[in-house]
Amino acid sequence: MRLPDHNGCAIAEYPTEAGPADYALCVDGRILAIVEAKKLGLGPQNVLTQSERYSRGLTDSPLDFDGFHAPFLYSTNGEVIWFHDVRHAMNRSRRISHFHTPNALREMLQDDFDSACQRLVATPNSHPFLRPYQIQANTETEKAIASRKRQMLLAMATGTGKTVTMVSQICRLMETGVAKRILFLVDRRALAAQAVRTMASFEAKPGLKFDKLFEVYSQRFFREDFADEPFDPKVLPASYLLDPKPGHAFVYVSTIQRMAINLFGRNAIFGIGDEELDEDADKLDIPIHAFDAVIADECHRGYTTKELSVWRNTLDHFDAVKIGLTATPAAHTKAYFKDVVFRYSYEQAVREGYLVDYDVVAIHSDVRMKGIFLKEGEHVDVVDPQTGLERMDVLEAEREFDATEVERRVTSPDSNRKIVEEIKQHALKHEQLTGRLPKALIFAANDLPHTSHADRLVDMCRDIFGRGDSFVQKITGRADRPIQRIREFRNRPDPGMVVSVDLMSTGVDIPDLEYIVFLRPVKSRILFEQMMGRGTRKGEKFPDKSHFTVFDCFGGTLIEYFRQCTGITAEPPEQVSKSVVELIDDIWNNRDREYATRCLVKRLQRINKEMSAAARDGFAAFVPDGDLAGFARDLPNKLVGDFTGTMKLLRDKDFQRLLQTFRRTRQDFLVAYETKDEVRSRYLMRDVFGNELKPDDYLEAFASFVKENVNKIEAIAILLDRPAEWCTNALKELRANLTGLGRRFTVDSLQRAHEMQYHKALVDIISMVKHAAREEAPLLTAEERVQAAMTRVSRGQTFTPEQQQWLDRIREHLIQNLSIEREDFEVVPVLARHGGWAPANRAFGLKLAEIIRQINEAIAA
């Protein structure tokens, strides 16, 4: 066989000294890769060693990488592909979505990744505008890449400049050749526009902006995304995606929604985001090597839930280094990105003066805490939620609504009014102190048509604050041009108060925000911490912003609920804050000295932001140049190095008097123009036609589907009438039919609907089918079903310790799979690692096949 005559082809049964390789991939007359193919039932990861043998057996190849003559190895079972670049001992094998193209293999062979990593690590990072922790984030990321990690996570508090940090990182990756084609993924168009602007303003080299040094492309934006800003983003040529070249060096900023359309088509992004889809986006044949690195911003969202699995599928498509950015790393996020290579917490950022601290005002409301009790004879307005029509009614009997139904089924105008009036009193005191009303963000319970809590609050705030419609605005996913509204809230005096639900909870940069009001219950740690993060940034137009204030309208229970599980609420708020003098006294008398020191550092940082120029001159008599921020930052070290001398200054009466009576900076209050909103809908559960369904309607549709297909879908008939025939293939058939042909009966959606309708979490698929056909059938979890089946099979029998161990392993497998086959013993880790079928069968006297048949029947019974 003349190899020079072969290019870009796979040669079957290629001979080597270790035996014939299933396939050899030939590029430019050289064997660059070996493919080992296995049957579908086998996992391909563990057979890469066979490819290694064949690679070593290619002794007639001119290539030699420490004994390997084909540098790229694959193993596949037709569904799953594993890949290993064996040129470097630290390279890990990894799963990929498709085979590399011949051009990709050619490019990988030419790349000297090791030398590029050496250049990256050796290149000093001395950018004058980066903060120390941002430089450290770059350093840790680069160490991880140089150690051949392919997935990594950076956890940086909201407001600490994750985007700038990554633009710096991209610059260094591209300059050193570690990565030349980089994808920057976000989940909102606003974040994409923000990233493009950051790249346009980042000075990569003295006098040279990033986008002048490197090509920066993006998806199409709307004109209002940039408003009056003189900026014209460049749209990525399709050829850059379809046919990546070694000479290409660029950054592409895209939303996850658009990239998902490019990869999987429009049908794949159902339920992703709440923005309109790009009309010009089409499905494209994008190879897996289109990008060398993928950076996923706000990566805490959507990576493990089934309805948002397109996030993970999009990341998995590319064979690239993947860097996740988040302020709120959740367990599932860390599981996907594997290594948290750098952390910079909110508390640390406050302590070092890069973010501001917060105060808590706990507003207690009987309605919010206890619900609403209506007496017989009371007058109420009844609103039709479908049409908005209202009518007055007189209750003929008393009615009671618990706190969870407030703003969902019933509302108390008096409760909303008194809460807003309480907030106004605090705002007026803030105005007296600073000369301005604080910018405020109120999180409402919902923005539903005709019964919108957000709309009621907007109207209430306009009435109570009395500063015109433009002062209070609603910004939700239903608003007209929400990106423009967010930018106006950020950059203009009006609106000074915004009511939102979810849209403003994450990825929105409002540095001058000083009030955050929780008028909606929150149970998600990530969502709560993201909401809190809206206020942590230092002020821009208000440089004296020293802190932000959180109004917990549930009596402080929200803050308390999340206090133990979020970084941003690590310090429990006290009902009455100690004065500066009291904190100093605690330090002097060693009363919880470490905690008191942290509190004093935050308080001094706050004073530094609030004081006027005249006050700074006064502090210059005690600290060099009146730099109270620097003094605060160094205070812990000063107390360790010179406790007596430092305490002498802190206990100086004149210094303490100045800390309490310093002159504050005052700012004028300005008024801007009015904006208008437009409401639009977003569906949750949908049928095959895309219509929204309530949980009971969704389950009714599912019940109809089951009943109509008893004689058409074999798996349903087996479950209902022939449980002895239940097996893995029947389970696969059932799942395929539930989601096929556009049906949306996914296990996750069905479980969610059952939980809402029947208050039963994690109902198993067998129970759901049986209950849909026969309402008297019980709803069980997988664990409950498996336990009942194992109890039934074991009844009246005695098992040896070895047999019981195997039954426990079988039980563990069944909870995840609801069926078991002989083949599972050879491929399922919990069974295979103990020897598989043979020892298990011997343990049961060669009767394991009958026991498995009984177990499967009991599972389906």
Side-chain angles (χ1 to χ4, degrees):
M1 181 180 297
R2 284 178 47 82
L3 285 179
D5 297 333
H6 293 76
N7 181 38
C9 62
I11 305 172
E13 297 296 319
Y14 190 83
T16 75
E17 290 189 358
D22 287 341
Y23 296 95
L25 305 186
C26 185
V27 178
D28 299 331
R30 293 181 295 181
I31 301 299
L32 298 189
I34 295 294
V35 180
E36 183 67 16
K38 293 297 180 184
K39 63 181 181 180
L40 187 62
L42 295 179
Q45 180 181 9
N46 297 322
V47 298
L48 274 172
T49 53
Q50 292 181 244
S51 297
E52 292 179 6
R53 291 201 306 272
Y54 298 141
S55 176
R56 292 185 182 276
L58 289 170
T59 54
D60 58 345
S61 170
L63 303 175
D64 189 346
F65 300 93
D66 197 21
F68 292 102
H69 301 289
F72 308 123
L73 309 180
Y74 298 88
S75 64
T76 181
N77 63 1
E79 293 287 342
V80 176
I81 305 170
W82 277 81
F83 169 74
H84 192 190
D85 178 352
V86 295
R87 292 176 297 170
H88 192 284
M90 292 298 293
N91 284 344
R92 291 284 306 279
S93 60
R94 57 186 182 267
R95 183 170 172 172
I96 57 177
S97 59
H98 300 84
F99 283 98
H100 295 98
T101 66
N103 285 339
L105 294 176
R106 185 182 294 113
E107 182 180 350
M108 286 192 296
L109 183 66
Q110 294 170 351
D111 283 346
D112 188 351
F113 187 74
D114 189 47
S115 296
C117 286
Q118 292 176 15
R119 289 194 300 271
L120 177 65
V121 175
T123 301
N125 191 345
S126 56
H127 197 289
F129 298 109
L130 289 182
R131 297 168 178 172
Y133 65 84
Q134 293 172 325
I135 293 176
Q136 185 183 355
N138 287 166
T139 300
E140 297 304 322
T141 301
E142 292 162 9
K143 287 181 181 178
I145 293 174
S147 66
R148 297 310 197 273
K149 294 186 185 299
R150 302 282 294 182
Q151 292 165 253
M152 62 205 71
L153 183 66
L154 277 73
M156 298 173 64
T158 299
T160 55
K162 294 188 292 294
T163 304
V164 171
T165 302
M166 275 301 101
V167 173
S168 168
Q169 188 66 78
I170 291 170
C171 183
R172 291 174 57 79
L173 293 175
M174 296 182 74
E175 281 185 328
T176 56
V178 171
K180 294 172 290 187
R181 301 184 297 265
I182 298 177
L183 173 62
F184 195 102
L185 277 178
V186 297
D187 77 333
R188 294 187 188 277
R189 211 172 60 248
L191 295 179
Q194 176 181 304
V196 171
R197 285 195 298 265
T198 301
M199 292 177 190
S201 62
F202 184 83
E203 195 168 83
K205 292 183 178 296
L208 192 62
K209 300 297 185 184
F210 181 93
D211 63 343
K212 303 303 180 185
L213 186 62
F214 302 107
E215 295 180 71
V216 177
Y217 296 100
S218 68
Q219 64 185 79
R220 296 187 186 277
F221 290 108
F222 299 142
R223 183 176 300 275
E224 60 267 19
D225 292 341
F226 294 93
D228 301 328
E229 299 177 38
F231 187 74
D232 184 22
K234 295 186 293 184
V235 176
L236 182 74
S239 62
Y240 277 44
L241 291 175
L242 298 173
D243 187 20
K245 303 290 187 183
H248 288 166
F250 64 92
V251 182
Y252 177 42
V253 181
S254 172
T255 60
I256 185 73
Q257 293 90 335
R258 184 183 182 89
M259 183 53 66
I261 292 175
N262 291 156
L263 293 175
F264 312 117
R266 290 182 175 270
N267 292 335
I269 64 168
F270 167 71
I272 303 297
D274 53 10
E275 295 182 327
E276 295 182 7
L277 302 180
D278 294 345
E279 295 182 358
D280 64 322
D282 296 307
K283 186 176 180 180
L284 303 173
D285 186 15
I286 302 175
I288 65 173
H289 72 292
F291 298 99
D292 305 314
V294 178
I295 298 171
D297 195 15
E298 302 291 353
C299 66
H300 56 272
R301 292 201 287 270
Y303 284 95
T304 58
T305 56
K306 291 287 182 63
E307 66 271 27
L308 296 182
S309 63
V310 68
W311 269 93
R312 179 170 288 191
N313 293 340
T314 300
L315 291 175
D316 284 345
H317 175 82
F318 297 107
D319 182 33
V321 172
K322 289 150 191 172
I323 305 172
L325 304 176
T326 183
T328 52
H332 59 265
T333 311
K334 290 185 284 189
Y336 180 81
F337 287 97
K338 297 181 181 177
D339 291 296
V340 181
V341 298
F342 179 74
R343 291 180 184 270
Y344 190 67
S345 68
Y346 166 74
E347 186 182 24
Q348 185 178 355
V350 171
R351 189 167 60 247
E352 295 178 359
Y354 295 113
L355 296 179
V356 298
D357 194 15
Y358 71 96
D359 284 341
V360 176
V361 175
I363 297 179
H364 182 89
S365 161
D366 283 345
V367 166
R368 306 291 155 179
M369 302 300 292
K370 301 177 182 178
I372 295 175
F373 179 79
L374 300 176
K375 299 178 181 178
E376 179 183 345
E378 283 194 36
H379 291 78
V380 296
D381 277 348
V382 179
V383 182
D384 185 334
Q386 301 299 319
T387 65
L389 293 177
E390 298 185 21
R391 61 180 175 84
M392 181 174 286
D393 195 9
V394 178
L395 294 180
E396 298 182 8
E398 60 187 30
R399 298 192 65 180
E400 185 173 3
F401 299 87
D402 64 33
T404 63
E405 296 177 297
V406 175
E407 309 306 346
R408 183 168 61 89
R409 294 186 62 195
V410 63
T411 185
S412 168
D414 185 66
S415 172
N416 284 317
R417 174 172 292 277
K418 288 180 176 177
I419 289 174
V420 173
E421 286 175 343
E422 192 68 23
I423 295 168
K424 179 184 178 182
Q425 295 306 311
H426 287 273
L428 292 177
K429 293 177 182 178
H430 185 280
E431 185 179 35
Q432 292 174 356
L433 186 64
T434 65
R436 65 176 182 273
L437 276 181
K439 262 192 183 297
L441 174 60
I442 300 176
F443 286 110
N446 60 63
D447 185 27
L448 301 175
H450 311 308
T451 61
S452 170
H453 186 216
D455 286 343
R456 289 193 295 272
L457 287 174
V458 168
D459 185 61
M460 197 81 69
C461 290
R462 287 173 176 172
D463 181 38
I464 291 172
F465 279 84
R467 297 182 184 243
D469 282 8
S470 61
F471 178 72
V472 184
Q473 289 291 311
K474 180 181 75 171
I475 300 180
T476 70
R478 305 176 192 277
D480 177 39
R481 299 180 177 180
I483 296 177
Q484 181 176 340
R485 301 291 172 252
I486 292 170
R487 189 174 55 252
E488 290 169 354
F489 186 41
R490 185 194 194 281
N491 297 327
R492 301 179 182 179
D494 277 358
M497 180 174 288
V498 158
V499 179
S500 187
V501 180
D502 287 315
L503 186 64
M504 299 284 291
S505 65
T506 183
V508 177
D509 180 8
I510 313 291
D512 294 315
L513 189 67
E514 295 184 274
Y515 274 17
I516 295 179
V517 181
F518 284 94
L519 257 170
R520 59 164 290 184
V522 181
K523 294 299 182 184
S524 163
R525 175 190 69 85
I526 291 178
L527 178 60
F528 176 76
E529 195 161 340
Q530 287 287 327
M531 289 174 163
M532 292 281 286
R534 299 313 99 208
T536 61
R537 290 174 174 85
K538 297 165 69 175
E540 290 183 355
K541 295 180 177 63
F542 306 139
D544 62 329
K545 174 188 171 183
S546 58
H547 66 289
F548 67 101
T549 301
V550 178
F551 290 84
D552 183 345
C553 299
F554 300 89
T557 57
L558 276 181
I559 293 289
E560 179 60 27
Y561 180 81
F562 290 107
R563 181 175 64 83
Q564 298 295 335
C565 60
T566 72
I568 200 169
T569 51
E571 304 283 353
E574 297 181 352
Q575 291 296 326
V576 181
S577 297
K578 290 186 176 181
S579 68
V580 172
V581 174
E582 289 172 328
L583 291 173
I584 293 172
D585 190 58
D586 284 347
I587 295 172
W588 176 248
N589 289 288
N590 200 20
R591 289 192 293 265
D592 204 353
R593 180 176 290 163
E594 184 178 345
Y595 173 74
T597 300
R598 293 201 303 270
C599 291
L600 181 59
V601 167
K602 292 180 179 180
R603 198 70 57 82
L604 294 177
Q605 292 281 11
R606 181 182 301 183
I607 292 172
N608 182 74
K609 297 298 298 179
E610 293 179 343
M611 65 183 173
S612 65
R616 189 174 299 277
D617 290 338
F619 279 111
F622 301 95
V623 299
D625 301 320
D627 183 12
L628 203 59
F631 175 78
R633 195 161 44 244
D634 297 337
L635 183 58
N637 292 332
K638 289 179 178 293
L639 288 170
V640 173
D642 183 13
F643 181 81
T644 303
T646 304
M647 288 307 305
K648 181 178 181 181
L649 170 61
L650 290 175
R651 299 180 71 222
D652 184 285
K653 296 301 181 183
D654 292 334
F655 183 59
Q656 292 184 353
R657 188 178 303 110
L658 185 57
L659 289 172
Q660 297 175 89
T661 62
F662 66 94
R663 184 177 298 178
R664 289 171 167 80
T665 300
R666 298 185 63 86
Q667 299 286 333
D668 292 331
F669 179 77
L670 305 176
V671 178
Y673 300 99
E674 178 180 353
T675 59
K676 296 181 181 180
D677 294 329
E678 182 179 285
V679 173
R680 54 187 176 85
S681 299
R682 183 169 74 91
Y683 297 111
L684 301 177
M685 291 181 177
R686 300 184 185 183
D687 61 14
V688 68
F689 303 107
N691 299 316
E692 182 182 1
L693 296 177
K694 297 177 181 179
D696 55 342
D697 294 329
Y698 181 75
L699 293 179
E700 184 177 340
F702 175 64
S704 298
F705 171 80
V706 170
K707 293 172 183 177
E708 291 168 3
N709 287 278
V710 171
N711 298 321
K712 299 177 183 178
I713 299 176
E714 187 73 4
I716 295 178
I718 289 174
L719 281 179
L720 298 180
D721 302 316
R722 308 194 307 273
E725 299 177 28
W726 182 249
C727 61
T728 300
N729 286 336
L731 178 60
K732 290 180 179 178
E733 181 201 7
L734 176 62
R735 287 173 171 163
N737 278 283
L738 291 181
T739 57
L741 301 177
R743 303 184 191 101
R744 293 189 169 96
F745 297 129
T746 66
V747 173
D748 275 3
S749 294
L750 288 167
Q751 285 182 333
R752 189 161 48 248
H754 279 84
E755 183 174 2
M756 290 187 284
Q757 186 72 8
Y758 299 107
H759 309 290
K760 177 75 173 182
L762 300 176
V763 176
D764 73 85
I765 191 171
I766 296 175
S767 291
M768 292 188 285
V769 170
K770 288 177 172 288
H771 188 269
R774 303 160 184 163
E775 291 188 9
E776 68 275 10
L779 293 173
L780 305 175
T781 66
E783 188 169 356
E784 291 169 343
R785 176 168 296 279
V786 171
Q787 183 59 45
M790 299 300 285
T791 300
R792 176 179 173 182
V793 171
S794 302
R795 187 176 297 120
Q797 299 191 52
T798 302
F799 296 105
T800 67
E802 183 183 7
Q803 290 173 333
Q804 189 60 54
Q805 287 178 338
W806 278 107
L807 289 174
D808 290 341
R809 293 165 192 150
I810 291 171
R811 178 187 291 106
E812 184 178 345
H813 168 72
L814 285 170
I815 290 173
Q816 300 299 322
N817 298 276
L818 291 177
S819 68
I820 189 167
E821 304 289 342
R822 174 171 177 163
E823 291 78 10
D824 293 332
F825 284 80
E826 308 302 334
V827 296
V828 175
V830 70
L831 302 171
R833 65 170 169 256
H834 296 284
W837 175 263
N841 195 26
R842 285 196 300 271
F844 288 95
L846 305 182
K847 297 180 179 179
L848 183 56
E850 173 60 20
I851 293 175
I852 285 177
R853 188 199 66 76
Q854 295 175 11
I855 290 175
N856 281 331
E857 180 178 2
I859 288 287

